[in-house]
Amino acid sequence: MQQTTDSAWRPHHPAHPSFSGSAGVPGTLTAVPQADQNPTVPPRPERLRPVPLAELAGQLGVVVPDSEAAATGITHDSRAVLPGDIYAALPGARFHGADFATQAASLGAVAVLTDPTGTERAAATGLTVLTVPEPRARMGALAARIYGRPGEDLLQVGITGTSGKTTTAYLIEGGLRAAAAKEGALTGLIGTVESRIGDERLKAERTTPEATELQALFAVMRERGVRSVAMEVSSHALVLGRVDGCVFDVAVFNNLSPEHLDFHPDMEDYFRAKRQLFTEERSRAGVVNFDDEYGFRLIGESEVPVTTFSAEGHPDADWRAEGVEVGPKGSTFTAVGPDGVRVPAVAPIAGPFNVANALAALTALAVAGIDPGLAAEGIGAVPGVPGRLERVEAGQDYLAVVDYAHKPDAVESVLYALRKVTEGRVHTVLGCGGDRDPYKRAAMGAALARLSDTAVLTSDNPRTEDPLAILATMLAGAAEVPAYERGTVLLEEDRAAAIAVAVSRAEPGDSVLVLGKGHELGQDIAGVVRPFDDRQVLREAIEAALVSGTATSGADDQKP
């Protein structure tokens, strides 16, 4: 990419922003905030520039009566309306947003965006009504216009795939930080665990915010000096239009495996949803995993130029990993890029799959115009990712880890990774979420039984389902594993008790692995979310075991 002798940052859209100076081309349970996360409503920019309603109506192709009214914001939540907002009244499964238009008007809304079925109720408020057939599909672009198209002033890297989105986003943000530090700029992060504006942390309600919240967040980032942002992009976000109004400078595809099949009818639909990110409407350049079956397919179907990466070291990939050394706290490797570029690199989180995540991050940063050596330094400096192979230390002489793995492939990958660095036995705790894809439960039970010395089946977030019914399906999967291939299988419905059981069986050199909830700070049982943090519960169980000396040898339970 073309270099410049002027090191100062300057946005240069319509070409994409870059640190090189190139002039070229399902809700989560993190709603329980951590102590240093702000639990408030989604942020809004402080400097507002009113946009005439007539101009916004013209963008929608809607004719409205002559009016001096102007909008300074937009929201789809009637409770979050601020004076000057457009209220997007969307149709829902049980209620129509237009049912709450009166509330929006009382809070200072200046107009209502809705569909024909909501028009009459919205008009009854006396507000200007902007009626379009599919308001959700128009909401993102409208929000971008109201907030001054803030994404155009940010280097945006979007990450999609089934596994590794969160970790890759954190690693990319680490590389962006290293580059931003040289420019005196800040970075942003948007994802499942949290959003960050510089060092300020905001709780996350879902992997990708709704379009109205997302564009406002971009505007706040721009206002506070953020110049680049790493962001997770879920399939729900692509299908439901949450990233409408965004054009990512770099789109990253990690992998695809069965997940969200309660939302997508089949894997083909799931893939097509992910593929949307690699259209000219959504991105300018792609970074794709050469080693993944669906990634290899995407290379040929992408509408934007693609740079490939291979953690397996395939010589046909643009970037590949060589000399991989896997350790209990992370991995080292050499990233080999175009024209023989060789960069020493570190995946700062354990597990072979995190080599792929680190290489994906380095490749994306290089495509964004950041020096690969500087990018590798930033990636290696990331201290960890909440709930992703996160170690819990309480003075014990064995490894204790919490991870978000909640699908069969992820469970298997984490267990294989832990086995490589565990001298003794592996004791694992896992549950399956209720009111979610039921087809993966048996497979998860089987994976746990086959790859663990002790498999403790327990509750995750049962939600409205009977926890025992979920456990019965998991146990059926475990029972399909031949007896000589499986470890000891235990059932304990209470999650805290299950964690204590696993800890009680741990000896020096063993590993205790608690899977499924990762960073989540609550447990949903019968529709009531109570505080629950796997990391805290695991730490307390270890401390209690150390005090009481209740650990058992479990010698008879070892696999042949």
Side-chain angles (χ1 to χ4, degrees):
M1 303 181 73
Q2 181 181 354
Q3 302 292 320
T4 176
T5 57
D6 180 2
S7 62
W9 176 277
R10 61 169 66 91
H12 34 259
H13 272 268
H16 66 275
S18 162
F19 279 102
S20 71
S22 165
V25 265
T28 69
L29 290 175
T30 53
V32 183
Q34 297 189 48
D36 57 348
Q37 288 179 327
N38 291 334
T40 53
V41 296
R44 298 280 195 99
E46 294 180 0
R47 296 189 294 273
L48 304 174
R49 185 175 181 178
V51 182
L53 282 183
E55 180 179 329
L56 298 172
Q59 176 177 323
L60 296 170
V62 175
V63 177
V64 297
D66 291 338
S67 171
E68 298 296 323
T72 53
I74 181 172
T75 180
H76 62 286
D77 185 344
S78 62
R79 300 164 298 180
V81 168
L82 297 178
D85 275 358
I86 291 177
Y87 168 52
L90 308 177
R94 291 188 299 166
F95 301 103
H96 195 291
D99 295 331
F100 307 99
T102 300
Q103 180 185 27
S106 71
L107 293 173
V110 295
V112 178
L113 171 69
T114 192
D115 64 358
T117 63
T119 298
E120 184 176 347
R121 281 167 284 178
T125 65
L127 297 177
T128 298
V129 180
L130 307 171
T131 300
V132 294
E134 297 181 21
R136 179 179 285 278
R138 311 300 296 275
M139 196 167 64
L142 200 65
R145 173 64 191 89
I146 290 171
Y147 293 117
R149 298 188 175 89
E152 294 184 357
D153 296 320
L154 304 173
L155 172 63
Q156 301 175 76
V157 183
I159 306 98
T160 199
T162 302
S163 300
K165 292 192 297 297
T166 298
T167 297
T168 304
Y170 271 83
L171 298 179
I172 290 174
E173 198 261 350
L176 293 174
R177 280 192 174 223
K182 293 183 174 295
E183 305 289 343
L186 299 178
T187 59
L189 175 74
I190 302 172
T192 302
V193 176
E194 63 188 351
S195 292
R196 290 206 304 235
I197 305 173
D199 290 328
E200 180 184 0
R201 304 174 65 204
L202 308 171
K203 71 182 181 72
E205 298 289 353
R206 52 178 59 86
T207 297
T208 309
E210 287 287 358
T212 54
E213 298 169 352
L214 178 60
Q215 294 299 327
L217 182 56
F218 282 161
V220 172
M221 288 181 173
R222 178 180 62 183
E223 191 172 76
R224 298 185 188 176
V226 169
R227 303 294 175 85
S228 57
V229 59
M231 175 179 163
E232 295 181 55
V233 183
S234 66
S235 61
H236 289 68
L238 290 160
V239 172
L240 299 176
R242 293 177 189 161
V243 291
D244 287 357
C246 299
V247 181
F248 292 92
D249 299 287
V250 184
V252 181
F253 178 90
N254 280 344
N255 50 65
L256 201 72
S257 60
E259 173 72 331
H260 301 306
L261 296 182
D262 51 343
F263 180 76
H264 299 285
D266 51 39
M267 286 297 293
E268 180 63 22
D269 185 79
Y270 188 26
F271 172 74
R272 287 198 301 268
K274 298 290 191 182
R275 187 177 59 190
Q276 288 184 36
L277 189 58
F278 297 82
T279 61
E280 293 178 349
E281 178 186 3
R282 303 281 193 193
S283 63
R284 296 185 174 90
V287 168
V288 176
N289 186 355
F290 191 92
D291 301 326
D292 182 79
E293 175 186 359
Y294 284 97
F296 195 79
R297 173 181 167 184
L298 181 59
I299 294 169
E301 296 185 15
S302 171
E303 294 181 10
V304 299
V306 165
T307 301
T308 59
F309 66 93
S310 170
E312 297 176 5
H314 198 290
D316 291 338
D318 297 307
W319 284 87
R320 63 185 185 275
E322 293 186 352
V324 177
E325 296 288 340
V326 178
K329 295 185 179 180
S331 305
T332 61
F333 63 98
T334 299
V336 181
D339 302 319
V341 172
R342 301 181 68 85
V343 181
V346 173
I349 309 169
F353 48 87
N354 280 317
V355 173
N357 293 332
L359 184 60
L362 193 152
T363 304
L365 292 162
V367 170
I370 296 173
D371 175 75
L374 181 61
E377 290 178 16
I379 291 169
V382 173
V385 179
R388 273 64 178 175
L389 282 177
E390 186 173 352
R391 296 165 65 101
V392 173
E393 301 288 354
Q396 79 277 13
D397 50 9
Y398 51 87
L399 182 65
V401 174
V402 169
D403 192 83
Y404 190 51
H406 57 281
K407 44 192 170 289
D409 287 355
V411 169
E412 290 183 358
S413 294
V414 170
L415 282 166
Y416 279 126
L418 262 291
R419 282 215 163 273
K420 288 186 177 182
V421 297
T422 301
E423 296 179 359
R425 298 177 301 152
V426 176
H427 314 282
T428 314
V429 178
L430 176 69
C432 291
D435 301 333
R436 298 293 187 271
D437 180 7
Y439 304 106
K440 63 184 181 183
R441 295 172 184 172
M444 289 171 67
L448 204 72
R450 187 175 63 255
L451 298 174
S452 304
D453 295 285
T454 306
V456 187
L457 308 183
T458 190
S459 297
D460 188 282
N461 298 306
R463 299 183 176 88
T464 66
E465 286 195 61
D466 182 348
L468 290 181
I470 297 173
L471 285 171
T473 305
M474 294 183 69
L475 181 60
E480 292 179 0
V481 179
Y484 65 89
E485 290 185 10
R486 67 175 182 250
T488 299
V489 178
L490 305 174
L491 267 68
E492 174 52 68
E493 179 183 349
D494 181 272
R495 190 172 182 88
I499 291 172
V501 167
V503 167
S504 73
R505 301 174 73 84
E507 294 183 320
D510 287 358
S511 288
V512 173
L513 181 59
V514 180
L515 297 179
K517 290 175 61 60
H519 63 281
E520 291 181 353
L521 300 175
Q523 187 178 26
D524 187 336
I525 301 175
V528 177
V529 179
R530 62 185 182 93
F532 197 101
D533 184 341
D534 276 353
R535 296 161 294 189
Q536 178 184 340
V537 174
L538 177 57
R539 181 175 291 105
E540 291 173 352
I542 294 170
E543 292 171 346
L546 291 174
V547 169
S548 64
T550 56
T552 61
S553 66
D556 294 337
D557 298 323
Q558 294 188 39
K559 285 195 250 186

Tab-separated table of all heavy atoms in Angstrom, residues 502-534:
chain	number	residue	atom	x	y	z
A	502	ALA	N	-16.218	-31.332	40.461
A	502	ALA	CA	-15.035	-31.420	39.605
A	502	ALA	C	-13.781	-31.048	40.370
A	502	ALA	O	-12.730	-31.707	40.254
A	502	ALA	CB	-15.218	-30.519	38.385
A	503	VAL	N	-13.868	-29.987	41.160
A	503	VAL	CA	-12.711	-29.543	41.937
A	503	VAL	C	-12.301	-30.608	42.956
A	503	VAL	O	-11.104	-30.846	43.175
A	503	VAL	CB	-13.040	-28.204	42.637
A	503	VAL	CG1	-12.000	-27.871	43.707
A	503	VAL	CG2	-13.118	-27.077	41.610
A	504	SER	N	-13.273	-31.257	43.555
A	504	SER	CA	-12.958	-32.252	44.585
A	504	SER	C	-12.179	-33.443	44.039
A	504	SER	O	-11.529	-34.168	44.793
A	504	SER	CB	-14.255	-32.751	45.238
A	504	SER	OG	-14.978	-33.607	44.355
A	505	ARG	N	-12.214	-33.650	42.736
A	505	ARG	CA	-11.540	-34.792	42.119
A	505	ARG	C	-10.165	-34.433	41.578
A	505	ARG	O	-9.455	-35.295	41.064
A	505	ARG	CB	-12.421	-35.355	41.001
A	505	ARG	CG	-13.801	-35.809	41.487
A	505	ARG	CD	-14.697	-36.216	40.332
A	505	ARG	NE	-14.319	-37.483	39.739
A	505	ARG	CZ	-14.686	-38.687	40.188
A	505	ARG	NH1	-15.443	-38.776	41.269
A	505	ARG	NH2	-14.305	-39.786	39.582
A	506	ALA	N	-9.793	-33.161	41.662
A	506	ALA	CA	-8.548	-32.701	41.046
A	506	ALA	C	-7.342	-33.000	41.928
A	506	ALA	O	-7.375	-32.814	43.149
A	506	ALA	CB	-8.633	-31.208	40.763
A	507	GLU	N	-6.274	-33.456	41.291
A	507	GLU	CA	-5.000	-33.717	41.944
A	507	GLU	C	-3.919	-32.892	41.248
A	507	GLU	O	-4.148	-32.333	40.165
A	507	GLU	CB	-4.658	-35.207	41.860
A	507	GLU	CG	-5.604	-36.108	42.631
A	507	GLU	CD	-5.170	-37.554	42.577
A	507	GLU	OE1	-4.729	-37.992	41.489
A	507	GLU	OE2	-5.253	-38.238	43.601
A	508	PRO	N	-2.707	-32.812	41.840
A	508	PRO	CA	-1.618	-32.075	41.198
A	508	PRO	C	-1.391	-32.556	39.761
A	508	PRO	O	-1.357	-33.763	39.491
A	508	PRO	CB	-0.414	-32.393	42.092
A	508	PRO	CG	-1.021	-32.636	43.437
A	508	PRO	CD	-2.315	-33.334	43.170
A	509	GLY	N	-1.276	-31.602	38.845
A	509	GLY	CA	-1.048	-31.935	37.441
A	509	GLY	C	-2.305	-32.140	36.627
A	509	GLY	O	-2.247	-32.319	35.407
A	510	ASP	N	-3.488	-32.128	37.297
A	510	ASP	CA	-4.759	-32.286	36.584
A	510	ASP	C	-5.218	-30.937	36.019
A	510	ASP	O	-4.600	-29.891	36.231
A	510	ASP	CB	-5.839	-32.816	37.528
A	510	ASP	CG	-5.659	-34.284	37.883
A	510	ASP	OD1	-4.707	-34.892	37.356
A	510	ASP	OD2	-6.447	-34.796	38.686
A	511	SER	N	-6.335	-30.976	35.307
A	511	SER	CA	-6.995	-29.761	34.842
A	511	SER	C	-8.478	-29.837	35.180
A	511	SER	O	-9.098	-30.904	35.040
A	511	SER	CB	-6.844	-29.583	33.325
A	511	SER	OG	-5.516	-29.235	32.981
A	512	VAL	N	-9.024	-28.717	35.638
A	512	VAL	CA	-10.460	-28.564	35.846
A	512	VAL	C	-10.955	-27.549	34.828
A	512	VAL	O	-10.432	-26.434	34.763
A	512	VAL	CB	-10.787	-28.104	37.273
A	512	VAL	CG1	-12.279	-27.793	37.404
A	512	VAL	CG2	-10.375	-29.165	38.278
A	513	LEU	N	-11.942	-27.945	34.055
A	513	LEU	CA	-12.421	-27.113	32.959
A	513	LEU	C	-13.923	-26.907	33.109
A	513	LEU	O	-14.687	-27.868	33.161
A	513	LEU	CB	-12.109	-27.799	31.623
A	513	LEU	CG	-12.501	-27.117	30.324
A	513	LEU	CD1	-11.846	-25.750	30.204
A	513	LEU	CD2	-12.083	-27.982	29.137
A	514	VAL	N	-14.342	-25.647	33.207
A	514	VAL	CA	-15.760	-25.314	33.324
A	514	VAL	C	-16.186	-24.641	32.019
A	514	VAL	O	-15.696	-23.553	31.677
A	514	VAL	CB	-16.023	-24.391	34.527
A	514	VAL	CG1	-17.513	-24.070	34.628
A	514	VAL	CG2	-15.531	-25.047	35.818
A	515	LEU	N	-17.098	-25.272	31.300
A	515	LEU	CA	-17.447	-24.843	29.947
A	515	LEU	C	-18.871	-24.302	29.864
A	515	LEU	O	-19.737	-24.640	30.659
A	515	LEU	CB	-17.326	-26.016	28.974
A	515	LEU	CG	-15.942	-26.632	28.776
A	515	LEU	CD1	-16.027	-27.801	27.805
A	515	LEU	CD2	-14.945	-25.600	28.294
A	516	GLY	N	-19.084	-23.473	28.834
A	516	GLY	CA	-20.438	-23.115	28.419
A	516	GLY	C	-20.844	-21.686	28.661
A	516	GLY	O	-21.521	-21.082	27.830
A	517	LYS	N	-20.458	-21.088	29.817
A	517	LYS	CA	-20.950	-19.760	30.137
A	517	LYS	C	-19.853	-18.700	30.043
A	517	LYS	O	-20.144	-17.524	29.820
A	517	LYS	CB	-21.587	-19.749	31.527
A	517	LYS	CG	-22.908	-20.539	31.551
A	517	LYS	CD	-23.505	-20.643	32.938
A	517	LYS	CE	-23.820	-19.289	33.516
A	517	LYS	NZ	-24.796	-18.544	32.674
A	518	GLY	N	-18.616	-19.086	30.241
A	518	GLY	CA	-17.511	-18.160	30.039
A	518	GLY	C	-17.636	-16.868	30.819
A	518	GLY	O	-17.624	-16.844	32.052
A	519	HIS	N	-17.813	-15.766	30.104
A	519	HIS	CA	-17.851	-14.422	30.691
A	519	HIS	C	-19.194	-14.080	31.317
A	519	HIS	O	-19.318	-13.053	31.988
A	519	HIS	CB	-17.576	-13.396	29.597
A	519	HIS	CG	-18.626	-13.413	28.522
A	519	HIS	ND1	-18.643	-14.359	27.515
A	519	HIS	CD2	-19.732	-12.653	28.331
A	519	HIS	CE1	-19.700	-14.156	26.741
A	519	HIS	NE2	-20.375	-13.129	27.208
A	520	GLU	N	-20.215	-14.896	31.088
A	520	GLU	CA	-21.563	-14.536	31.534
A	520	GLU	C	-21.612	-14.357	33.046
A	520	GLU	O	-20.939	-15.066	33.793
A	520	GLU	CB	-22.571	-15.589	31.097
A	520	GLU	CG	-22.791	-15.617	29.589
A	520	GLU	CD	-23.813	-16.653	29.169
A	520	GLU	OE1	-24.257	-17.446	30.019
A	520	GLU	OE2	-24.162	-16.668	27.980
A	521	LEU	N	-22.451	-13.427	33.474
A	521	LEU	CA	-22.505	-13.076	34.892
A	521	LEU	C	-23.849	-13.406	35.522
A	521	LEU	O	-24.153	-12.943	36.620
A	521	LEU	CB	-22.209	-11.589	35.066
A	521	LEU	CG	-20.838	-11.136	34.556
A	521	LEU	CD1	-20.689	-9.639	34.673
A	521	LEU	CD2	-19.732	-11.841	35.303
A	522	GLY	N	-24.660	-14.180	34.819
A	522	GLY	CA	-25.960	-14.561	35.358
A	522	GLY	C	-26.347	-15.945	34.880
A	522	GLY	O	-25.800	-16.462	33.906
A	523	GLN	N	-27.297	-16.558	35.597
A	523	GLN	CA	-27.855	-17.852	35.190
A	523	GLN	C	-29.368	-17.725	35.139
A	523	GLN	O	-29.991	-17.320	36.122
A	523	GLN	CB	-27.437	-18.957	36.160
A	523	GLN	CG	-27.862	-20.347	35.681
A	523	GLN	CD	-27.411	-21.448	36.623
A	523	GLN	OE1	-27.213	-21.221	37.815
A	523	GLN	NE2	-27.253	-22.649	36.098
A	524	ASP	N	-29.941	-18.055	33.981
A	524	ASP	CA	-31.378	-17.916	33.748
A	524	ASP	C	-32.070	-19.233	34.053
A	524	ASP	O	-31.928	-20.218	33.326
A	524	ASP	CB	-31.606	-17.501	32.285
A	524	ASP	CG	-33.057	-17.157	31.990
A	524	ASP	OD1	-33.934	-17.633	32.716
A	524	ASP	OD2	-33.305	-16.414	31.019
A	525	ILE	N	-32.813	-19.243	35.158
A	525	ILE	CA	-33.562	-20.433	35.563
A	525	ILE	C	-35.027	-20.048	35.703
A	525	ILE	O	-35.373	-19.165	36.485
A	525	ILE	CB	-33.048	-20.997	36.901
A	525	ILE	CG1	-31.556	-21.364	36.785
A	525	ILE	CG2	-33.861	-22.221	37.309
A	525	ILE	CD1	-30.945	-21.819	38.096
A	526	ALA	N	-35.873	-20.673	34.890
A	526	ALA	CA	-37.323	-20.407	34.916
A	526	ALA	C	-37.618	-18.928	34.696
A	526	ALA	O	-38.535	-18.370	35.298
A	526	ALA	CB	-37.927	-20.894	36.227
A	527	GLY	N	-36.833	-18.307	33.827
A	527	GLY	CA	-37.072	-16.912	33.479
A	527	GLY	C	-36.534	-15.898	34.461
A	527	GLY	O	-36.690	-14.693	34.255
A	528	VAL	N	-35.879	-16.358	35.512
A	528	VAL	CA	-35.286	-15.453	36.503
A	528	VAL	C	-33.769	-15.529	36.385
A	528	VAL	O	-33.191	-16.618	36.498
A	528	VAL	CB	-35.728	-15.817	37.932
A	528	VAL	CG1	-35.051	-14.909	38.955
A	528	VAL	CG2	-37.243	-15.735	38.058
A	529	VAL	N	-33.132	-14.389	36.154
A	529	VAL	CA	-31.677	-14.351	36.033
A	529	VAL	C	-31.081	-13.993	37.389
A	529	VAL	O	-31.343	-12.916	37.930
A	529	VAL	CB	-31.227	-13.330	34.967
A	529	VAL	CG1	-29.707	-13.290	34.894
A	529	VAL	CG2	-31.811	-13.692	33.602
A	530	ARG	N	-30.311	-14.909	37.920
A	530	ARG	CA	-29.647	-14.631	39.194
A	530	ARG	C	-28.148	-14.512	38.944
A	530	ARG	O	-27.613	-15.126	38.017
A	530	ARG	CB	-29.929	-15.746	40.209
A	530	ARG	CG	-29.416	-17.121	39.800
A	530	ARG	CD	-29.859	-18.186	40.802
A	530	ARG	NE	-29.358	-19.515	40.471
A	530	ARG	CZ	-28.226	-20.036	40.942
A	530	ARG	NH1	-27.449	-19.313	41.742
A	530	ARG	NH2	-27.856	-21.256	40.603
A	531	PRO	N	-27.430	-13.732	39.759
A	531	PRO	CA	-25.985	-13.577	39.559
A	531	PRO	C	-25.274	-14.925	39.612
A	531	PRO	O	-25.525	-15.733	40.519
A	531	PRO	CB	-25.562	-12.670	40.721
A	531	PRO	CG	-26.796	-11.925	41.096
A	531	PRO	CD	-27.923	-12.894	40.879
A	532	PHE	N	-24.412	-15.177	38.631
A	532	PHE	CA	-23.623	-16.404	38.611
A	532	PHE	C	-22.439	-16.196	37.683
A	532	PHE	O	-22.607	-15.927	36.499
A	532	PHE	CB	-24.452	-17.603	38.135
A	532	PHE	CG	-23.836	-18.932	38.462
A	532	PHE	CD1	-24.286	-19.672	39.533
A	532	PHE	CD2	-22.783	-19.425	37.707
A	532	PHE	CE1	-23.708	-20.898	39.851
A	532	PHE	CE2	-22.192	-20.634	38.007
A	532	PHE	CZ	-22.649	-21.383	39.083
A	533	ASP	N	-21.243	-16.310	38.226
A	533	ASP	CA	-20.015	-16.124	37.468
A	533	ASP	C	-19.189	-17.390	37.639
A	533	ASP	O	-18.721	-17.689	38.744
A	533	ASP	CB	-19.268	-14.896	37.993
A	533	ASP	CG	-18.006	-14.570	37.197
A	533	ASP	OD1	-17.501	-15.459	36.486
A	533	ASP	OD2	-17.527	-13.430	37.300
A	534	ASP	N	-19.020	-18.160	36.560
A	534	ASP	CA	-18.252	-19.403	36.647
A	534	ASP	C	-16.885	-19.188	37.274
A	534	ASP	O	-16.396	-20.033	38.034
A	534	ASP	CB	-18.071	-20.007	35.249
A	534	ASP	CG	-19.265	-20.838	34.807
A	534	ASP	OD1	-20.182	-21.055	35.628
A	534	ASP	OD2	-19.281	-21.273	33.637
